């Protein structure tokens, strides 16, 4: 594994993009539907340790961004990588790994299709955005 091919600024930017998408996705777009789907009350959300939650979300967003950069560039230079290839790799990761594994877990947890789609589409879109950024910004 060779991390010298990784553009660290691109990894930081994709981390921020992933985190920002989450703020929009789980805020004004699907926040209330997600809250109902997971069964959290307004009171439970208010009493949460937001520093810990958002801090861990930022760290985990970095781990995903770094991991995708490793797949794209950690095994040597990838001259074929571009925005289209990055988008396809991110999208395919979502379609063939994120959505099915989320559905698998949520079916056993008795969570509905709406929650499956809210959570898995968020990550699928985020992975696609990460792929585009990493594909363009070698």
């Amino acid at each position: 594994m060779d991390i010298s091919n990784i553009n660290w600024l691109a990894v930081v930017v994709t981390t921020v993009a992933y985190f920002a998408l989450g703020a929009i996705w789980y805020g004004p777009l699907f926040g209330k539907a997600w809250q109902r789907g997971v069964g959290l009350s307004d009171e439970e959300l208010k009493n949460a340790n937001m520093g810990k939650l958002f801090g861990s979300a930022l760290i985990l967003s970095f781990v995903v961004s770094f991991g995708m950069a490793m797949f794209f560039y950690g095994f040597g230079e990838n001259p074929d990588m571009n925005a289209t290839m990055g988008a396809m790799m991110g999208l395919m990761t979502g379609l063939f790994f994120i959505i099915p594994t989320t559905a698998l877990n949520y079916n056993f947890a008795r969570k509905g299709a709406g929650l499956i789609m809210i959570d898995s589409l968020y990550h699928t879109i985020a992975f696609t955005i990460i792929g585009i950024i990493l594909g363009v910004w070698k």
Side-chain angles (χ1 to χ4, degrees), residues 1 7 21-22 29 32 36 41 45 47 49 53 56-58 62 65 73 79 85 87 90 98 101-102 111 114 124:
M1 245 342 113
N7 180 333
L21 177 64
L29 290 181
K32 288 297 181 185
R36 281 190 306 277
S41 68
L45 288 178
N47 291 329
N49 182 339
L53 289 174
S56 64
L58 189 61
F62 176 81
S65 296
Y73 304 110
M85 180 66 75
I98 300 299
T101 56
T102 301
K111 300 296 181 184
T124 299

Side-chain angles (χ1 to χ4, degrees), residues 61-84:
S61 297
F62 176 81
V63 170
V64 170
S65 296
F66 172 68
M68 286 189 71
M70 286 296 296
F71 282 131
F72 285 15
Y73 304 110
F75 301 101
E77 288 193 36
N78 190 346
D80 296 328
M81 186 56 65
N82 58 35
T84 302

Side-chain angles (χ1 to χ4, degrees), residues 16-29:
V16 172
Y18 196 177
F19 188 80
L21 177 64
I24 296 166
W25 194 266
Y26 290 103
L29 290 181

Side-chain angles (χ1 to χ4, degrees), residues 4 8 12 14-15 24 30 39 50 58 65 74-76 82 90 93 100 125-126 136 138:
S4 66
W8 290 100
V12 170
T14 58
T15 299
I24 296 166
F30 300 107
M50 291 304 182
L58 189 61
S65 296
F75 301 101
N82 58 35
T93 300
I125 292 168
V136 168
K138 298 179 184 181

